[in-house]
Amino acid sequence: MAYQKIQFPQLFLRLAIAVTMLSAVADRFGCWGKNSAWGNWENFEKYTRQLTFFLPESLSRISAYGATFLEILFPVLLLIGYKTKIAAYGTGFLLLTFALSMTVALGIKVPLDYSVWMGSAGAFLLAVQPRYSTSIDQLIKK
């Protein structure tokens, strides 16, 4: 009975994290038009360079591609509920890395304004759930 009380909040958290991350990816590909933060890949690379100022430029570019790959992979896994625990931990660590980089490069206010710390915390909370309702993981267990 207690598990039924967390089914909706857990599903909502899973979907909110996934959709938010996919929205950020869509932004860097210009899908949001005039409402974009970056608007195109070049601007996203410049922003990534700003956050990874401590890396050589070539590694900064690779980190932009790597982050984008993970920001597509983890949300898709969360949406379908497959390998949810791994995807949630991966998302938590990815967002934690992003929040720390933002804090060092831009100050504490920016990651707070964009709720990156909250996204990371939510992903870690999702990762420690005992099971995942409405997921492929749950279907496989049956």
Side-chain angles (χ1 to χ4, degrees):
M1 186 64 151
Y3 178 72
Q4 287 182 332
K5 290 181 182 180
I6 65 167
Q7 283 181 330
F8 175 75
Q10 180 197 96
L11 178 61
F12 184 56
L13 179 59
R14 209 173 85 207
L15 296 176
I17 291 170
V19 169
T20 301
M21 291 179 72
L22 290 173
S23 173
V25 172
D27 186 307
R28 67 192 69 155
F29 292 121
C31 297
W32 287 115
K34 65 179 180 166
N35 295 316
S36 291
W38 301 295
N40 60 52
W41 184 259
E42 294 77 28
N43 288 339
F44 175 68
E45 275 191 8
K46 286 178 193 170
Y47 183 70
T48 302
R49 181 73 191 125
Q50 201 177 1
L51 297 184
T52 58
F53 63 90
F54 51 88
L55 295 175
E57 190 170 343
S58 60
L59 285 180
S60 181
R61 182 172 287 121
I62 289 170
S63 71
Y65 284 97
T68 300
F69 172 77
L70 294 174
E71 285 181 73
I72 294 169
L73 176 66
F74 293 147
V76 168
L77 292 174
L78 290 174
L79 281 174
I80 65 174
Y82 182 67
K83 301 291 183 185
T84 308
K85 187 174 290 295
I86 293 168
Y89 272 121
T91 299
F93 283 115
L94 182 65
L95 290 174
L96 179 60
T97 302
F98 185 43
L100 290 170
S101 294
M102 288 175 85
T103 301
V104 169
L106 306 172
I108 190 66
K109 186 175 183 319
V110 176
L112 290 172
D113 286 353
Y114 289 105
S115 302
V116 182
W117 293 107
M118 189 168 49
S120 178
F124 286 128
L125 180 61
L126 183 62
V128 298
Q129 298 300 301
R131 59 184 181 203
Y132 302 100
S133 60
T134 59
S135 67
I136 292 175
D137 292 336
Q138 194 63 31
L139 291 173
I140 291 171
K141 277 188 174 182
K142 288 183 178 181

PDB file of all heavy atoms in Angstrom, residues 92-131:
ATOM      1  N   GLY A  92      22.145  12.013 -12.177  1.00  0.00           N
ATOM      2  CA  GLY A  92      22.545  12.709 -10.958  1.00  0.00           C
ATOM      3  C   GLY A  92      23.994  13.156 -11.015  1.00  0.00           C
ATOM      4  O   GLY A  92      24.312  14.317 -10.705  1.00  0.00           O
ATOM      5  N   PHE A  93      24.885  12.262 -11.438  1.00  0.00           N
ATOM      6  CA  PHE A  93      26.305  12.616 -11.521  1.00  0.00           C
ATOM      7  C   PHE A  93      26.580  13.607 -12.649  1.00  0.00           C
ATOM      8  O   PHE A  93      27.404  14.511 -12.492  1.00  0.00           O
ATOM      9  CB  PHE A  93      27.171  11.363 -11.668  1.00  0.00           C
ATOM     10  CG  PHE A  93      27.338  10.612 -10.381  1.00  0.00           C
ATOM     11  CD1 PHE A  93      26.815   9.341 -10.234  1.00  0.00           C
ATOM     12  CD2 PHE A  93      27.998  11.185  -9.294  1.00  0.00           C
ATOM     13  CE1 PHE A  93      26.948   8.649  -9.040  1.00  0.00           C
ATOM     14  CE2 PHE A  93      28.141  10.505  -8.094  1.00  0.00           C
ATOM     15  CZ  PHE A  93      27.615   9.225  -7.972  1.00  0.00           C
ATOM     16  N   LEU A  94      25.885  13.466 -13.771  1.00  0.00           N
ATOM     17  CA  LEU A  94      26.052  14.411 -14.875  1.00  0.00           C
ATOM     18  C   LEU A  94      25.629  15.813 -14.446  1.00  0.00           C
ATOM     19  O   LEU A  94      26.359  16.794 -14.664  1.00  0.00           O
ATOM     20  CB  LEU A  94      25.231  13.952 -16.089  1.00  0.00           C
ATOM     21  CG  LEU A  94      25.326  14.803 -17.342  1.00  0.00           C
ATOM     22  CD1 LEU A  94      26.742  14.778 -17.911  1.00  0.00           C
ATOM     23  CD2 LEU A  94      24.334  14.298 -18.389  1.00  0.00           C
ATOM     24  N   LEU A  95      24.467  15.924 -13.819  1.00  0.00           N
ATOM     25  CA  LEU A  95      23.999  17.233 -13.369  1.00  0.00           C
ATOM     26  C   LEU A  95      24.850  17.786 -12.227  1.00  0.00           C
ATOM     27  O   LEU A  95      25.067  18.998 -12.139  1.00  0.00           O
ATOM     28  CB  LEU A  95      22.526  17.161 -12.961  1.00  0.00           C
ATOM     29  CG  LEU A  95      21.540  16.953 -14.107  1.00  0.00           C
ATOM     30  CD1 LEU A  95      20.122  16.749 -13.578  1.00  0.00           C
ATOM     31  CD2 LEU A  95      21.585  18.119 -15.078  1.00  0.00           C
ATOM     32  N   LEU A  96      25.350  16.912 -11.369  1.00  0.00           N
ATOM     33  CA  LEU A  96      26.239  17.351 -10.296  1.00  0.00           C
ATOM     34  C   LEU A  96      27.530  17.935 -10.883  1.00  0.00           C
ATOM     35  O   LEU A  96      28.001  18.994 -10.455  1.00  0.00           O
ATOM     36  CB  LEU A  96      26.559  16.194  -9.346  1.00  0.00           C
ATOM     37  CG  LEU A  96      27.503  16.505  -8.183  1.00  0.00           C
ATOM     38  CD1 LEU A  96      26.923  17.593  -7.287  1.00  0.00           C
ATOM     39  CD2 LEU A  96      27.772  15.230  -7.389  1.00  0.00           C
ATOM     40  N   THR A  97      28.086  17.263 -11.875  1.00  0.00           N
ATOM     41  CA  THR A  97      29.284  17.760 -12.554  1.00  0.00           C
ATOM     42  C   THR A  97      29.004  19.113 -13.207  1.00  0.00           C
ATOM     43  O   THR A  97      29.807  20.047 -13.120  1.00  0.00           O
ATOM     44  CB  THR A  97      29.762  16.743 -13.610  1.00  0.00           C
ATOM     45  OG1 THR A  97      30.018  15.496 -12.966  1.00  0.00           O
ATOM     46  CG2 THR A  97      31.008  17.218 -14.326  1.00  0.00           C
ATOM     47  N   PHE A  98      27.854  19.211 -13.855  1.00  0.00           N
ATOM     48  CA  PHE A  98      27.439  20.452 -14.504  1.00  0.00           C
ATOM     49  C   PHE A  98      27.295  21.568 -13.468  1.00  0.00           C
ATOM     50  O   PHE A  98      27.793  22.678 -13.651  1.00  0.00           O
ATOM     51  CB  PHE A  98      26.127  20.196 -15.246  1.00  0.00           C
ATOM     52  CG  PHE A  98      25.628  21.337 -16.073  1.00  0.00           C
ATOM     53  CD1 PHE A  98      26.461  22.086 -16.879  1.00  0.00           C
ATOM     54  CD2 PHE A  98      24.276  21.647 -16.074  1.00  0.00           C
ATOM     55  CE1 PHE A  98      25.976  23.140 -17.646  1.00  0.00           C
ATOM     56  CE2 PHE A  98      23.778  22.698 -16.833  1.00  0.00           C
ATOM     57  CZ  PHE A  98      24.640  23.447 -17.620  1.00  0.00           C
ATOM     58  N   ALA A  99      26.639  21.274 -12.352  1.00  0.00           N
ATOM     59  CA  ALA A  99      26.435  22.276 -11.297  1.00  0.00           C
ATOM     60  C   ALA A  99      27.763  22.743 -10.708  1.00  0.00           C
ATOM     61  O   ALA A  99      27.960  23.946 -10.475  1.00  0.00           O
ATOM     62  CB  ALA A  99      25.536  21.713 -10.193  1.00  0.00           C
ATOM     63  N   LEU A 100      28.676  21.813 -10.474  1.00  0.00           N
ATOM     64  CA  LEU A 100      29.987  22.186  -9.935  1.00  0.00           C
ATOM     65  C   LEU A 100      30.762  23.045 -10.930  1.00  0.00           C
ATOM     66  O   LEU A 100      31.372  24.048 -10.545  1.00  0.00           O
ATOM     67  CB  LEU A 100      30.784  20.934  -9.556  1.00  0.00           C
ATOM     68  CG  LEU A 100      30.265  20.160  -8.345  1.00  0.00           C
ATOM     69  CD1 LEU A 100      30.979  18.821  -8.213  1.00  0.00           C
ATOM     70  CD2 LEU A 100      30.410  20.980  -7.077  1.00  0.00           C
ATOM     71  N   SER A 101      30.731  22.670 -12.203  1.00  0.00           N
ATOM     72  CA  SER A 101      31.415  23.449 -13.245  1.00  0.00           C
ATOM     73  C   SER A 101      30.816  24.846 -13.348  1.00  0.00           C
ATOM     74  O   SER A 101      31.544  25.840 -13.462  1.00  0.00           O
ATOM     75  CB  SER A 101      31.328  22.753 -14.603  1.00  0.00           C
ATOM     76  OG  SER A 101      32.043  21.553 -14.587  1.00  0.00           O
ATOM     77  N   MET A 102      29.490  24.916 -13.321  1.00  0.00           N
ATOM     78  CA  MET A 102      28.827  26.220 -13.379  1.00  0.00           C
ATOM     79  C   MET A 102      29.211  27.077 -12.178  1.00  0.00           C
ATOM     80  O   MET A 102      29.455  28.284 -12.316  1.00  0.00           O
ATOM     81  CB  MET A 102      27.299  26.049 -13.405  1.00  0.00           C
ATOM     82  CG  MET A 102      26.754  25.518 -14.697  1.00  0.00           C
ATOM     83  SD  MET A 102      24.970  25.223 -14.588  1.00  0.00           S
ATOM     84  CE  MET A 102      24.364  26.864 -14.974  1.00  0.00           C
ATOM     85  N   THR A 103      29.269  26.481 -11.014  1.00  0.00           N
ATOM     86  CA  THR A 103      29.596  27.209  -9.794  1.00  0.00           C
ATOM     87  C   THR A 103      31.011  27.766  -9.851  1.00  0.00           C
ATOM     88  O   THR A 103      31.235  28.943  -9.540  1.00  0.00           O
ATOM     89  CB  THR A 103      29.426  26.303  -8.557  1.00  0.00           C
ATOM     90  OG1 THR A 103      28.070  25.854  -8.502  1.00  0.00           O
ATOM     91  CG2 THR A 103      29.784  27.034  -7.275  1.00  0.00           C
ATOM     92  N   VAL A 104      31.959  26.948 -10.278  1.00  0.00           N
ATOM     93  CA  VAL A 104      33.346  27.385 -10.360  1.00  0.00           C
ATOM     94  C   VAL A 104      33.512  28.460 -11.434  1.00  0.00           C
ATOM     95  O   VAL A 104      34.181  29.466 -11.219  1.00  0.00           O
ATOM     96  CB  VAL A 104      34.284  26.181 -10.632  1.00  0.00           C
ATOM     97  CG1 VAL A 104      35.693  26.630 -10.980  1.00  0.00           C
ATOM     98  CG2 VAL A 104      34.294  25.247  -9.439  1.00  0.00           C
ATOM     99  N   ALA A 105      32.894  28.257 -12.593  1.00  0.00           N
ATOM    100  CA  ALA A 105      33.091  29.174 -13.725  1.00  0.00           C
ATOM    101  C   ALA A 105      32.253  30.446 -13.627  1.00  0.00           C
ATOM    102  O   ALA A 105      32.711  31.516 -14.037  1.00  0.00           O
ATOM    103  CB  ALA A 105      32.782  28.455 -15.034  1.00  0.00           C
ATOM    104  N   LEU A 106      31.035  30.329 -13.105  1.00  0.00           N
ATOM    105  CA  LEU A 106      30.092  31.454 -13.182  1.00  0.00           C
ATOM    106  C   LEU A 106      29.587  31.944 -11.833  1.00  0.00           C
ATOM    107  O   LEU A 106      28.856  32.933 -11.774  1.00  0.00           O
ATOM    108  CB  LEU A 106      28.891  31.054 -14.055  1.00  0.00           C
ATOM    109  CG  LEU A 106      29.211  30.524 -15.455  1.00  0.00           C
ATOM    110  CD1 LEU A 106      27.968  29.997 -16.127  1.00  0.00           C
ATOM    111  CD2 LEU A 106      29.888  31.594 -16.298  1.00  0.00           C
ATOM    112  N   GLY A 107      29.904  31.224 -10.766  1.00  0.00           N
ATOM    113  CA  GLY A 107      29.412  31.597  -9.447  1.00  0.00           C
ATOM    114  C   GLY A 107      28.201  30.754  -9.056  1.00  0.00           C
ATOM    115  O   GLY A 107      27.607  30.073  -9.880  1.00  0.00           O
ATOM    116  N   ILE A 108      27.832  30.812  -7.802  1.00  0.00           N
ATOM    117  CA  ILE A 108      26.776  29.952  -7.258  1.00  0.00           C
ATOM    118  C   ILE A 108      25.377  30.307  -7.751  1.00  0.00           C
ATOM    119  O   ILE A 108      24.505  29.444  -7.850  1.00  0.00           O
ATOM    120  CB  ILE A 108      26.817  29.937  -5.703  1.00  0.00           C
ATOM    121  CG1 ILE A 108      25.899  28.856  -5.127  1.00  0.00           C
ATOM    122  CG2 ILE A 108      26.469  31.305  -5.133  1.00  0.00           C
ATOM    123  CD1 ILE A 108      26.297  27.457  -5.433  1.00  0.00           C
ATOM    124  N   LYS A 109      25.141  31.555  -8.098  1.00  0.00           N
ATOM    125  CA  LYS A 109      23.789  31.979  -8.464  1.00  0.00           C
ATOM    126  C   LYS A 109      23.270  31.295  -9.734  1.00  0.00           C
ATOM    127  O   LYS A 109      22.093  30.928  -9.806  1.00  0.00           O
ATOM    128  CB  LYS A 109      23.731  33.498  -8.627  1.00  0.00           C
ATOM    129  CG  LYS A 109      22.316  34.012  -8.854  1.00  0.00           C
ATOM    130  CD  LYS A 109      22.271  35.507  -8.900  1.00  0.00           C
ATOM    131  CE  LYS A 109      20.895  36.081  -9.061  1.00  0.00           C
ATOM    132  NZ  LYS A 109      20.003  35.446  -9.970  1.00  0.00           N
ATOM    133  N   VAL A 110      24.108  31.117 -10.728  1.00  0.00           N
ATOM    134  CA  VAL A 110      23.660  30.562 -12.007  1.00  0.00           C
ATOM    135  C   VAL A 110      23.104  29.137 -11.858  1.00  0.00           C
ATOM    136  O   VAL A 110      21.973  28.874 -12.285  1.00  0.00           O
ATOM    137  CB  VAL A 110      24.778  30.625 -13.075  1.00  0.00           C
ATOM    138  CG1 VAL A 110      24.336  29.968 -14.367  1.00  0.00           C
ATOM    139  CG2 VAL A 110      25.186  32.065 -13.317  1.00  0.00           C
ATOM    140  N   PRO A 111      23.819  28.196 -11.236  1.00  0.00           N
ATOM    141  CA  PRO A 111      23.227  26.861 -11.098  1.00  0.00           C
ATOM    142  C   PRO A 111      21.999  26.842 -10.186  1.00  0.00           C
ATOM    143  O   PRO A 111      21.120  26.001 -10.355  1.00  0.00           O
ATOM    144  CB  PRO A 111      24.355  25.994 -10.546  1.00  0.00           C
ATOM    145  CG  PRO A 111      25.328  26.944  -9.963  1.00  0.00           C
ATOM    146  CD  PRO A 111      25.192  28.220 -10.732  1.00  0.00           C
ATOM    147  N   LEU A 112      21.926  27.791  -9.252  1.00  0.00           N
ATOM    148  CA  LEU A 112      20.725  27.886  -8.431  1.00  0.00           C
ATOM    149  C   LEU A 112      19.548  28.387  -9.264  1.00  0.00           C
ATOM    150  O   LEU A 112      18.440  27.866  -9.156  1.00  0.00           O
ATOM    151  CB  LEU A 112      20.954  28.812  -7.230  1.00  0.00           C
ATOM    152  CG  LEU A 112      21.903  28.285  -6.156  1.00  0.00           C
ATOM    153  CD1 LEU A 112      22.182  29.372  -5.127  1.00  0.00           C
ATOM    154  CD2 LEU A 112      21.354  27.032  -5.497  1.00  0.00           C
ATOM    155  N   ASP A 113      19.775  29.395 -10.100  1.00  0.00           N
ATOM    156  CA  ASP A 113      18.711  29.940 -10.951  1.00  0.00           C
ATOM    157  C   ASP A 113      18.179  28.894 -11.936  1.00  0.00           C
ATOM    158  O   ASP A 113      16.992  28.889 -12.247  1.00  0.00           O
ATOM    159  CB  ASP A 113      19.204  31.152 -11.743  1.00  0.00           C
ATOM    160  CG  ASP A 113      19.347  32.396 -10.878  1.00  0.00           C
ATOM    161  OD1 ASP A 113      18.932  32.355  -9.705  1.00  0.00           O
ATOM    162  OD2 ASP A 113      19.886  33.392 -11.385  1.00  0.00           O
ATOM    163  N   TYR A 114      19.055  28.040 -12.438  1.00  0.00           N
ATOM    164  CA  TYR A 114      18.648  27.020 -13.406  1.00  0.00           C
ATOM    165  C   TYR A 114      18.275  25.688 -12.751  1.00  0.00           C
ATOM    166  O   TYR A 114      18.049  24.709 -13.441  1.00  0.00           O
ATOM    167  CB  TYR A 114      19.741  26.820 -14.460  1.00  0.00           C
ATOM    168  CG  TYR A 114      19.845  27.984 -15.407  1.00  0.00           C
ATOM    169  CD1 TYR A 114      20.891  28.891 -15.314  1.00  0.00           C
ATOM    170  CD2 TYR A 114      18.874  28.189 -16.383  1.00  0.00           C
ATOM    171  CE1 TYR A 114      20.972  29.972 -16.178  1.00  0.00           C
ATOM    172  CE2 TYR A 114      18.953  29.263 -17.244  1.00  0.00           C
ATOM    173  CZ  TYR A 114      20.009  30.151 -17.140  1.00  0.00           C
ATOM    174  OH  TYR A 114      20.081  31.223 -17.994  1.00  0.00           O
ATOM    175  N   SER A 115      18.232  25.673 -11.442  1.00  0.00           N
ATOM    176  CA  SER A 115      17.813  24.488 -10.669  1.00  0.00           C
ATOM    177  C   SER A 115      18.619  23.232 -10.979  1.00  0.00           C
ATOM    178  O   SER A 115      18.101  22.120 -10.921  1.00  0.00           O
ATOM    179  CB  SER A 115      16.317  24.214 -10.881  1.00  0.00           C
ATOM    180  OG  SER A 115      15.553  25.330 -10.513  1.00  0.00           O
ATOM    181  N   VAL A 116      19.890  23.409 -11.283  1.00  0.00           N
ATOM    182  CA  VAL A 116      20.738  22.255 -11.598  1.00  0.00           C
ATOM    183  C   VAL A 116      20.981  21.409 -10.352  1.00  0.00           C
ATOM    184  O   VAL A 116      20.967  20.178 -10.417  1.00  0.00           O
ATOM    185  CB  VAL A 116      22.068  22.704 -12.234  1.00  0.00           C
ATOM    186  CG1 VAL A 116      22.920  21.504 -12.612  1.00  0.00           C
ATOM    187  CG2 VAL A 116      21.801  23.562 -13.460  1.00  0.00           C
ATOM    188  N   TRP A 117      21.174  22.065  -9.208  1.00  0.00           N
ATOM    189  CA  TRP A 117      21.353  21.307  -7.964  1.00  0.00           C
ATOM    190  C   TRP A 117      20.106  20.481  -7.646  1.00  0.00           C
ATOM    191  O   TRP A 117      20.199  19.324  -7.232  1.00  0.00           O
ATOM    192  CB  TRP A 117      21.654  22.257  -6.793  1.00  0.00           C
ATOM    193  CG  TRP A 117      22.973  22.955  -6.899  1.00  0.00           C
ATOM    194  CD1 TRP A 117      23.172  24.269  -7.200  1.00  0.00           C
ATOM    195  CD2 TRP A 117      24.272  22.390  -6.721  1.00  0.00           C
ATOM    196  NE1 TRP A 117      24.515  24.546  -7.214  1.00  0.00           N
ATOM    197  CE2 TRP A 117      25.219  23.409  -6.925  1.00  0.00           C
ATOM    198  CE3 TRP A 117      24.728  21.105  -6.419  1.00  0.00           C
ATOM    199  CZ2 TRP A 117      26.588  23.205  -6.829  1.00  0.00           C
ATOM    200  CZ3 TRP A 117      26.096  20.908  -6.314  1.00  0.00           C
ATOM    201  CH2 TRP A 117      27.004  21.935  -6.523  1.00  0.00           C
ATOM    202  N   MET A 118      18.947  21.088  -7.851  1.00  0.00           N
ATOM    203  CA  MET A 118      17.691  20.386  -7.580  1.00  0.00           C
ATOM    204  C   MET A 118      17.514  19.204  -8.539  1.00  0.00           C
ATOM    205  O   MET A 118      17.053  18.136  -8.137  1.00  0.00           O
ATOM    206  CB  MET A 118      16.511  21.350  -7.700  1.00  0.00           C
ATOM    207  CG  MET A 118      15.216  20.738  -7.219  1.00  0.00           C
ATOM    208  SD  MET A 118      13.874  21.908  -7.019  1.00  0.00           S
ATOM    209  CE  MET A 118      13.870  22.813  -8.527  1.00  0.00           C
ATOM    210  N   GLY A 119      17.862  19.387  -9.800  1.00  0.00           N
ATOM    211  CA  GLY A 119      17.769  18.289 -10.768  1.00  0.00           C
ATOM    212  C   GLY A 119      18.667  17.132 -10.378  1.00  0.00           C
ATOM    213  O   GLY A 119      18.270  15.967 -10.454  1.00  0.00           O
ATOM    214  N   SER A 120      19.879  17.450  -9.945  1.00  0.00           N
ATOM    215  CA  SER A 120      20.807  16.407  -9.504  1.00  0.00           C
ATOM    216  C   SER A 120      20.255  15.672  -8.285  1.00  0.00           C
ATOM    217  O   SER A 120      20.248  14.441  -8.236  1.00  0.00           O
ATOM    218  CB  SER A 120      22.172  17.030  -9.181  1.00  0.00           C
ATOM    219  OG  SER A 120      23.065  16.060  -8.704  1.00  0.00           O
ATOM    220  N   ALA A 121      19.770  16.430  -7.305  1.00  0.00           N
ATOM    221  CA  ALA A 121      19.207  15.819  -6.093  1.00  0.00           C
ATOM    222  C   ALA A 121      18.002  14.947  -6.439  1.00  0.00           C
ATOM    223  O   ALA A 121      17.855  13.836  -5.911  1.00  0.00           O
ATOM    224  CB  ALA A 121      18.811  16.903  -5.094  1.00  0.00           C
ATOM    225  N   GLY A 122      17.138  15.433  -7.330  1.00  0.00           N
ATOM    226  CA  GLY A 122      15.973  14.653  -7.746  1.00  0.00           C
ATOM    227  C   GLY A 122      16.377  13.357  -8.426  1.00  0.00           C
ATOM    228  O   GLY A 122      15.772  12.302  -8.200  1.00  0.00           O
ATOM    229  N   ALA A 123      17.407  13.418  -9.251  1.00  0.00           N
ATOM    230  CA  ALA A 123      17.877  12.211  -9.937  1.00  0.00           C
ATOM    231  C   ALA A 123      18.427  11.200  -8.934  1.00  0.00           C
ATOM    232  O   ALA A 123      18.168   9.994  -9.053  1.00  0.00           O
ATOM    233  CB  ALA A 123      18.935  12.577 -10.975  1.00  0.00           C
ATOM    234  N   PHE A 124      19.177  11.683  -7.935  1.00  0.00           N
ATOM    235  CA  PHE A 124      19.683  10.767  -6.911  1.00  0.00           C
ATOM    236  C   PHE A 124      18.541  10.176  -6.081  1.00  0.00           C
ATOM    237  O   PHE A 124      18.586   8.991  -5.709  1.00  0.00           O
ATOM    238  CB  PHE A 124      20.716  11.459  -6.017  1.00  0.00           C
ATOM    239  CG  PHE A 124      22.048  11.662  -6.686  1.00  0.00           C
ATOM    240  CD1 PHE A 124      22.645  12.908  -6.703  1.00  0.00           C
ATOM    241  CD2 PHE A 124      22.708  10.602  -7.296  1.00  0.00           C
ATOM    242  CE1 PHE A 124      23.876  13.104  -7.314  1.00  0.00           C
ATOM    243  CE2 PHE A 124      23.941  10.780  -7.916  1.00  0.00           C
ATOM    244  CZ  PHE A 124      24.521  12.036  -7.927  1.00  0.00           C
ATOM    245  N   LEU A 125      17.515  10.959  -5.796  1.00  0.00           N
ATOM    246  CA  LEU A 125      16.351  10.445  -5.081  1.00  0.00           C
ATOM    247  C   LEU A 125      15.657   9.364  -5.911  1.00  0.00           C
ATOM    248  O   LEU A 125      15.262   8.316  -5.391  1.00  0.00           O
ATOM    249  CB  LEU A 125      15.378  11.578  -4.761  1.00  0.00           C
ATOM    250  CG  LEU A 125      14.102  11.196  -4.013  1.00  0.00           C
ATOM    251  CD1 LEU A 125      14.440  10.591  -2.654  1.00  0.00           C
ATOM    252  CD2 LEU A 125      13.207  12.406  -3.855  1.00  0.00           C
ATOM    253  N   LEU A 126      15.531   9.605  -7.202  1.00  0.00           N
ATOM    254  CA  LEU A 126      14.935   8.615  -8.095  1.00  0.00           C
ATOM    255  C   LEU A 126      15.769   7.335  -8.123  1.00  0.00           C
ATOM    256  O   LEU A 126      15.231   6.226  -8.146  1.00  0.00           O
ATOM    257  CB  LEU A 126      14.805   9.206  -9.506  1.00  0.00           C
ATOM    258  CG  LEU A 126      14.142   8.332 -10.559  1.00  0.00           C
ATOM    259  CD1 LEU A 126      12.699   8.008 -10.171  1.00  0.00           C
ATOM    260  CD2 LEU A 126      14.193   9.033 -11.910  1.00  0.00           C
ATOM    261  N   ALA A 127      17.086   7.477  -8.079  1.00  0.00           N
ATOM    262  CA  ALA A 127      17.981   6.318  -8.162  1.00  0.00           C
ATOM    263  C   ALA A 127      17.831   5.349  -6.993  1.00  0.00           C
ATOM    264  O   ALA A 127      18.092   4.157  -7.145  1.00  0.00           O
ATOM    265  CB  ALA A 127      19.432   6.787  -8.260  1.00  0.00           C
ATOM    266  N   VAL A 128      17.403   5.833  -5.846  1.00  0.00           N
ATOM    267  CA  VAL A 128      17.330   4.960  -4.665  1.00  0.00           C
ATOM    268  C   VAL A 128      15.937   4.370  -4.431  1.00  0.00           C
ATOM    269  O   VAL A 128      15.696   3.762  -3.391  1.00  0.00           O
ATOM    270  CB  VAL A 128      17.831   5.686  -3.394  1.00  0.00           C
ATOM    271  CG1 VAL A 128      19.291   6.085  -3.547  1.00  0.00           C
ATOM    272  CG2 VAL A 128      16.968   6.895  -3.059  1.00  0.00           C
ATOM    273  N   GLN A 129      15.054   4.525  -5.387  1.00  0.00           N
ATOM    274  CA  GLN A 129      13.708   3.949  -5.249  1.00  0.00           C
ATOM    275  C   GLN A 129      13.790   2.419  -5.326  1.00  0.00           C
ATOM    276  O   GLN A 129      14.592   1.870  -6.075  1.00  0.00           O
ATOM    277  CB  GLN A 129      12.787   4.476  -6.347  1.00  0.00           C
ATOM    278  CG  GLN A 129      12.572   5.973  -6.304  1.00  0.00           C
ATOM    279  CD  GLN A 129      11.955   6.406  -4.996  1.00  0.00           C
ATOM    280  OE1 GLN A 129      10.877   5.988  -4.614  1.00  0.00           O
ATOM    281  NE2 GLN A 129      12.680   7.266  -4.282  1.00  0.00           N
ATOM    282  N   PRO A 130      12.937   1.724  -4.583  1.00  0.00           N
ATOM    283  CA  PRO A 130      13.001   0.257  -4.567  1.00  0.00           C
ATOM    284  C   PRO A 130      12.555  -0.386  -5.881  1.00  0.00           C
ATOM    285  O   PRO A 130      13.031  -1.466  -6.236  1.00  0.00           O
ATOM    286  CB  PRO A 130      12.073  -0.136  -3.415  1.00  0.00           C
ATOM    287  CG  PRO A 130      11.175   1.041  -3.222  1.00  0.00           C
ATOM    288  CD  PRO A 130      11.927   2.254  -3.660  1.00  0.00           C
ATOM    289  N   ARG A 131      11.629   0.242  -6.589  1.00  0.00           N
ATOM    290  CA  ARG A 131      11.177  -0.254  -7.888  1.00  0.00           C
ATOM    291  C   ARG A 131      10.555   0.903  -8.649  1.00  0.00           C
ATOM    292  O   ARG A 131      10.269   1.958  -8.078  1.00  0.00           O
ATOM    293  CB  ARG A 131      10.205  -1.418  -7.740  1.00  0.00           C
ATOM    294  CG  ARG A 131       8.978  -1.093  -6.967  1.00  0.00           C
ATOM    295  CD  ARG A 131       8.105  -2.311  -6.780  1.00  0.00           C
ATOM    296  NE  ARG A 131       6.923  -1.878  -6.045  1.00  0.00           N
ATOM    297  CZ  ARG A 131       6.172  -2.662  -5.347  1.00  0.00           C
ATOM    298  NH1 ARG A 131       6.434  -3.933  -5.283  1.00  0.00           N
ATOM    299  NH2 ARG A 131       5.125  -2.189  -4.713  1.00  0.00           N
TER     300      ARG A 131
END
